[in-house]
Each structure stands twice: as C-alpha cells, then as structure tokens.
Amino acid sequence: LAGLDLAAQTLSGQLPAGGDTRLFIDRISQEAKRLADILFNLNQLAALDAEEISVERTPFLVDDLVRSLIDRYRPRASASELLLRVETTADGLVALGDRAKTDQALQNIVDNALKFTRAGEVVVMASLNRDRVEIAIRDTGPGIAPRYLSRIFERFYKADRSRSGLPGSGLGLSIARHLVELQGGTIVAESNPGAGTIVRVRLPRAPLTSA
C-alpha cells in the first residue's frame, strides 16, 4: 500500500492540475491511505485481543494533552469551517495512566466528531469527576438515535448517522474503548438525534503528593 501510494503521488506530480487523469490518480492515493489506516487499526485490534500491548501507569498533565490535541486538529476543523476549542475547569489536573494511549483514544474520538459534524463546533472539555479525571468531546453533529447508541463502541459497527457515504471502518471508537479500559478507565456516550453527541472518557486521578 505504501508503494502504491508513492507511485500514485509520483504520477500525480507529473500531471497538470486539472483533468480526469489527475483526479483518478489522486483518488488512488487517497484510497491507498484509507486502506493503510484500516490495516493499522486491524493490527492494533489483533494486538489488543492478544494482550500484546503494554500499558503505562504514570501521572500526566491533562491540560497539556488536550491543548496538543486541539492544535493538531485545528487546521482540519478550520478547513471544514468548524470551531474546535477547549474548555477546562481544573487547571493542573493530573491523570494516572498511559498518556500516549489516551492521546490515541482521544484522536479517534475527535476524528469521528469532526467527520460527522457539518456545522457548529467540537469542544474538548477536561474536568474533575469525583475521584476521576474526565475528558469529554462534545459535537454539534446530527446525534445518534437511542437504539444505536449502545452499540457505537462495537468493532465494525456504524450507526445510522454514518450512512452518508463518509469513509470509515467502524473501528475507531472500538479501539478508543479498548485503550481507555486497558488503563482502568471508562468511556460512555450520550446523544439524541439533532442534539449532538458527547463522549466521556474517565481515567483514574493521580494521587496528591506532598512537597
């Protein structure tokens, strides 16, 4: 797939900007990347099923993670004329878990939110929920009917709102669930048709230490 993508990019660079040939070559490159993403997700699920993925349990700053995530996805949101912003109610909040795996789980959730939100905003919120750190992603998308909501974290499952021809494998949220639960965390979704969706990730809070 990498070779196919490289060949397509090389051909694309030798063609004029317009025309059907350039259009089809660029489509080949896009499809190669999409298939590569699907294979990556499948390999990761296989590793998760085989319990081959190790998990760190170390403190990390939630604010730093969330702001880095926002910076990474802001250009994509702007290109879709969406507002992507952050809300935090507890500066200096520290979670206990695997920062890299939490980041990947949140990437999958934000990617999903941006994909299905046509207008409005996606907000990443960080707060303290009792003895847990909560990171929630809220969108102004079409929402999900109650009969589909309980299944959105199943692998390969695509709810009714995704029957719009948008690309996707139905693996992103399933992987996010696995990565969060590996750390002793939980993930839940709340939604109503026409009212957007909120996905809440809760992780253990790092214990307070005295100076």
Side-chain angles (χ1 to χ4, degrees), residues 95-114:
L96 184 65
D98 192 310
R99 188 187 189 281
K101 290 178 176 55
T102 302
D103 182 46
Q104 185 182 352
L106 295 176
Q107 284 186 59
N108 288 357
I109 299 167
V110 171
D111 177 81
N112 205 63
L114 291 173

Side-chain angles (χ1 to χ4, degrees), residues 122-140:
V122 174
V123 184
V124 182
M125 303 171 289
S127 61
L128 185 61
N129 186 307
R130 297 182 181 178
D131 61 340
R132 295 254 159 170
V133 173
E134 179 176 288
I135 306 170
I137 293 87
R138 183 184 74 222
D139 66 53
T140 55

Side-chain angles (χ1 to χ4, degrees), residues 8 10 30-31 35-36 71 75 85 97 132 144 152 159 171 176 186 203:
T10 302
Q30 293 168 9
E31 289 300 311
L35 288 171
D71 290 342
R85 61 186 181 88
R132 295 254 159 170
I144 306 169
I152 65 170
L171 294 172
T186 61
L203 295 172

Side-chain angles (χ1 to χ4, degrees), residues 30-95:
Q30 293 168 9
E31 289 300 311
K33 291 176 181 177
R34 185 180 68 84
L35 288 171
D37 288 342
I38 291 173
L39 285 176
F40 174 81
N41 286 336
L42 287 171
N43 282 332
Q44 188 165 44
L45 278 174
L48 287 165
D49 287 343
E51 299 182 351
E52 295 175 354
I53 294 182
S54 60
V55 179
E56 293 184 358
R57 295 291 179 92
T58 56
F60 65 87
L61 282 170
V62 174
D63 285 352
D64 287 351
L65 174 60
V66 168
R67 295 187 190 283
S68 173
L69 183 73
I70 292 291
D71 290 342
R72 196 178 311 141
Y73 278 92
R74 186 168 279 130
R76 175 176 163 189
S78 297
S80 300
E81 299 183 346
L82 298 172
L83 177 63
L84 178 62
R85 61 186 181 88
V86 59
E87 288 182 2
T88 60
T89 59
D91 291 339
L93 197 58
V94 179

